[in-house]
Amino acid sequence: MLLQKTHDFATRFLETLETRPVASPVDFACLLERAGGPLPETGEDPVDIIEKFANAMDAGIVASAGPRYFGFVIGGSLPAALAADWLTSAWDQNGASFATSPAAAAAEEISARWLIELFGLRRSASVGFTSGCTMANFTGLAAARHALYRQLGWDVEHQGLIGAPPITVVTNEESHISIFAALQMLGLGRERVIKVSADGQGRMRADALRLVLAEIRTPFVVCAQAGNVNTGAFDPILEIANCVHARDGWLHVDGAFGVWAAASPSHRELTRGIDLADSIAVDGHKWLNVPYDSGIVFVRDRAAHYAAMSLGAPYYAPPTEMTRDNHDWVPEASRRARGFAIYAALRSLGREGIVNLIERNCTLARRMADRLGAAEGVEILNDVVLNQVLVRFTGRDTASVIARVQKDGTCWAGGTTWHGMHAMRISVSNWSTTEADIDVSAEAILRCAAM
Ligand SMILES: *Cc1c(COP(=O)(O)O)cnc(C)c1O
């Protein structure tokens, strides 16, 4: 009865996803009041709770899972992934280890192998399933930190960084903020970084990197990115990998959404050299369209990955027997069995479906750019190489246009600052977005721009 009723609520929501306003302005205090009040002294009936809760929160639910949400880089949930996610909750497995859930271990192992094959990475890479790309970046950089300190004969997991000799961190000047958040958490410092200049699309300049590396006298890690969060542009990974490895450095690639291009024959070229990266961070909950929370980290040096994340003694050799303890490859111990939804998503799409999803979204982004760019006073600021479109409205205040679009509710797009200009950022990353969604959204945006 309870779960049946909940299922009905969920189904009704999903059925209205295409037609409900993508986001409606809502007052925070009003939501708190509707759903809040004092802590109940006594328990309430679960069916009643779910019903009241769903009604009270409805105004605060963003249709980001729907086809016309173009904010940030947010995918929806593929039906198979959502179904697997429901089971994940019902099964309530502790995804930490083989002992707590052999099924959770197996789903991650199978998904890991499929993803390695899909992206063309080395079969020997170790894979961790994190809460998102921020923690995937954290994990990859923790493995880097281990490996670089190993070169210096310093056991960073045991001795920490106090009194440790320095290592050097190099980023793109346009690296995603989560790289700096990861450095902050790792004790490497968000400011203690050399930032390499980027070109007009936000790609790290390999010639500038070479000059930077020539001056470095310590072990170093370079953080490159596959998919600039504004433009979708890719750093020249192959070229970067070659100069990093010529100097014995570690290459980390933040590819939250961009790495998915490696799966598509028509976009793979953008990621050339990705197989040479020492660590790669990717999101599942963005372009693979699985529910939150889902990130993935790949590390070439399994021993470094294990040493950085293992709860046990980092000296122990990584487990080689045919079993898997998921906690060995991520920061947490007890956690959700994240592999189930990823497994279901990969299985429901197949390689062909993934390629279609990526290519379809990229084509739709191009279509959006063409529709908007053809209008008077609208400028597309980026080369649309992937699923991201940056738009500026000339002679009008871009921020007000964005505010009107968000209020209109046909679609949702956010703002960003790009090279000193305020711009609207459009990301097409949902499996269910159609040409008609793009057309009606472009119309709405142009309507709001003309107001
Ligand atoms: C979204 C994103 C991240 C952070 O990922 P979360 O899943 O939100 O933690 C990191 N890097 C890039 C390029 C991103 O787009």
Side-chain angles (χ1 to χ4, degrees):
M1 174 60 186
L2 170 64
L3 295 183
Q4 197 56 53
K5 189 116 190 162
T6 307
H7 171 267
D8 293 345
F9 271 115
T11 312
R12 226 173 303 144
F13 170 74
L14 293 173
E15 280 166 5
T16 61
L17 201 46
E18 269 185 64
T19 48
R20 62 186 271 144
V22 176
S24 36
V26 61
D27 189 30
F28 184 54
C30 167
L31 279 182
L32 294 186
E33 193 185 307
R34 266 194 227 164
L39 170 70
E41 280 307 322
T42 54
E44 296 167 16
D45 172 51
V47 174
D48 209 36
I49 295 167
I50 293 299
E51 185 153 5
K52 288 196 181 127
F53 183 60
N55 287 330
M57 286 302 185
D58 190 67
I61 300 294
V62 178
S64 48
R68 293 184 308 283
Y69 189 91
F70 305 117
F72 308 94
V73 188
I74 287 191
S77 290
L78 289 159
L82 174 59
D85 197 63
W86 280 354
L87 266 186
T88 307
S89 290
W91 284 338
D92 193 22
Q93 299 292 282
N94 183 332
S97 63
F98 184 79
T100 55
S101 177
E108 290 198 5
E109 184 66 25
I110 295 164
S111 301
R113 291 179 193 178
W114 284 350
L115 289 164
I116 282 173
E117 189 188 330
L118 185 69
F119 296 145
L121 305 179
R122 283 168 203 239
R123 290 238 298 276
S124 55
S126 48
V127 184
F129 292 84
T130 60
S131 56
C133 197
T134 301
M135 291 318 285
N137 279 326
F138 172 86
T139 305
L141 289 172
R145 188 181 67 165
H146 173 88
L148 299 182
Y149 274 105
R150 193 174 53 199
Q151 284 179 29
L152 291 168
W154 184 274
D155 179 348
V156 71
E157 282 77 25
H158 279 144
Q159 302 305 319
L161 286 170
I162 297 168
I167 59 171
T168 307
V169 179
V170 179
T171 68
N172 181 328
E173 64 172 336
E174 295 195 17
S175 283
H176 190 270
I177 43 166
S178 66
I179 288 289
F180 301 100
L183 294 172
Q184 161 188 330
M185 293 186 283
L186 286 163
L188 295 172
R190 50 195 305 149
E191 302 274 310
R192 213 185 149 96
V193 162
I194 302 175
K195 294 182 180 176
V196 178
S197 56
D199 69 12
Q201 293 296 318
R203 292 175 290 232
M204 185 190 286
R205 288 181 38 198
D207 55 338
L209 175 66
R210 263 186 219 102
L211 293 178
V212 163
L213 295 190
E215 299 296 316
I216 293 176
R217 301 282 171 265
T218 68
F220 66 92
V221 51
V222 172
C223 307
Q225 60 185 2
N228 177 290
V229 80
N230 283 307
T231 63
F234 289 69
D235 290 354
I237 296 167
L238 179 60
E239 214 178 333
I240 292 172
N242 287 337
C243 50
V244 169
H245 290 153
R247 302 266 334 268
D248 239 2
W250 179 288
L251 174 61
H252 174 77
V253 176
D254 173 4
F257 55 97
V259 164
W260 293 96
S264 149
S266 56
H267 292 83
R268 187 170 295 147
E269 186 61 22
L270 293 167
T271 65
R272 201 142 74 95
I274 194 79
D275 54 314
L276 300 175
D278 297 286
S279 50
I280 304 169
V282 191
D283 257 322
H285 53 218
K286 286 180 180 169
W287 225 351
L288 182 59
N289 281 254
V290 301
Y292 297 92
D293 53 13
S294 182
I296 310 147
V297 60
F298 301 88
V299 182
R300 252 172 83 165
D301 180 342
R302 290 178 76 87
H305 189 179
Y306 180 79
M309 288 296 130
S310 167
L311 298 169
Y315 306 115
Y316 293 164
T320 50
E321 71 271 33
M322 285 309 296
T323 178
R324 175 185 172 95
D325 285 328
N326 293 334
H327 68 68
D328 284 337
W329 314 105
V330 294
E332 317 104 314
S334 299
R335 65 177 173 86
R336 195 166 177 75
R338 299 186 179 117
F340 294 152
I342 293 183
Y343 172 91
L346 293 172
R347 187 132 214 157
S348 81
L349 292 171
R351 191 197 293 274
E352 201 179 279
I354 293 166
V355 172
N356 284 344
L357 169 64
I358 302 307
E359 295 187 351
R360 197 168 65 241
N361 281 171
C362 292
T363 305
L364 292 173
R366 187 66 261 164
R367 185 181 182 94
M368 178 70 99
D370 291 345
R371 292 286 140 119
L372 297 177
E376 192 69 32
V378 183
E379 194 186 342
I380 305 301
L381 295 176
N382 65 322
D383 296 340
V384 182
V385 294
L386 202 69
N387 61 336
Q388 308 291 115
V389 185
L390 277 184
V391 191
R392 190 166 81 104
F393 301 91
T394 51
R396 276 154 294 182
D397 176 31
T398 295
S400 329
V401 177
I402 294 170
R404 285 199 290 275
V405 168
Q406 293 180 354
K407 194 158 167 234
D408 171 77
T410 306
C411 67
W412 202 96
T416 186
T417 301
W418 169 249
H419 294 177
M421 287 174 283
H422 203 66
M424 175 189 277
R425 186 163 74 116
I426 294 173
S427 172
V428 186
S429 0
N430 191 296
W431 66 278
S432 66
T433 307
T434 63
E435 285 187 352
D437 287 314
I438 295 297
D439 295 351
V440 71
S441 300
E443 247 169 58
I445 291 169
L446 294 175
R447 190 176 353 106
C448 293
M451 275 169 153

